[in-house]
Amino acid sequence: MRHILHDIKYNGKEGKCRACRVLLDRFPWPERFGHIDRVVPVPLAPEKLQLRGLNRAESLFRDWAGEHWPWCDALQRLRPTKVQWQLCRNERTKNVHDAFAVKETIHVQGKHILVVDDIFTTGATLEACVQALTQKGAASVTGLVIASGAM
């Protein structure tokens, strides 16, 4: 999984997302999560998106999620952050603190949100996204990642 995600992220091999889709399709996620109003990817900073050409969370989850729930780019990065894998746990939390916000045109109040990302290591990024969404009134926020552990 590490090599697949690395190839998608750094080598532009978006076709390898199909391997991840097989994993997603093997588990009854819709039944497990119950009611979800929107699926929201962890956003990239505009500079990173331009450099990479894709948001890995979106590449991994958008088609699959769209079969079950509405996709919504509700979050935005307020500022660039350092690369998380180079930081220790405390530095990761500080790095993403107040780095995300809900876009002004998106309403999440009372909504059940599924936030998707590629890797879960310390949870700092997902926690920062949860905070931004709950501050705007989301009823619940659940996270789903394709892998766990350090890249």
Side-chain angles (χ1 to χ4, degrees), residues 7-8 33 41 45 48 56 58 76 81 84 91-92 104 110 125 127 134 136 139 145 148:
D7 271 352
I8 294 167
F33 290 134
K48 286 184 183 175
R56 190 165 54 174
E58 183 171 346
Q76 63 183 346
T81 56
Q84 288 284 80
E91 292 171 328
R92 288 174 187 225
E104 291 296 320
T125 301
E127 186 60 37
T134 55
K136 287 293 185 176
V145 296
S148 174

Side-chain angles (χ1 to χ4, degrees), residues 2-125:
R2 177 184 192 148
H3 296 294
I4 290 170
L5 293 174
H6 189 273
D7 271 352
I8 294 167
K9 185 173 186 173
Y10 298 111
N11 299 326
K13 305 230 173 154
E14 198 168 352
K16 290 192 174 186
C17 290
R18 285 187 296 259
C20 298
R21 173 67 189 260
V22 169
L23 293 174
L24 289 168
D25 286 339
R26 293 184 69 134
F27 194 83
W29 297 110
E31 294 84 13
R32 172 108 184 211
F33 290 134
H35 181 72
I36 297 290
D37 295 304
R38 295 186 177 140
V39 177
V40 175
V42 172
L44 279 179
E47 311 82 48
K48 286 184 183 175
L49 184 57
Q50 185 176 12
L51 179 69
R52 294 181 189 160
L54 64 96
N55 177 338
R56 190 165 54 174
E58 183 171 346
S59 296
L60 290 167
F61 288 100
R62 187 174 190 134
D63 291 341
W64 170 80
E67 292 180 10
H68 307 287
W69 310 285
W71 186 265
C72 182
D73 292 317
L75 290 171
Q76 63 183 346
R77 284 218 184 218
L78 298 177
R79 58 181 172 74
T81 56
K82 296 176 185 173
V83 179
Q84 288 284 80
W85 67 266
Q86 297 175 337
L87 306 174
C88 70
R89 178 181 292 273
N90 291 339
E91 292 171 328
R92 288 174 187 225
T93 300
K94 289 177 189 174
N95 187 40
V96 293
H97 180 73
D98 290 334
F100 302 99
V102 175
K103 294 177 181 176
E104 291 296 320
T105 58
I106 306 292
H107 301 287
V108 297
Q109 188 168 0
K111 303 292 183 196
H112 300 277
I113 308 291
L114 177 64
V115 176
V116 293
D117 201 7
D118 55 351
I119 304 268
F120 179 96
T121 304
T122 64
T125 301

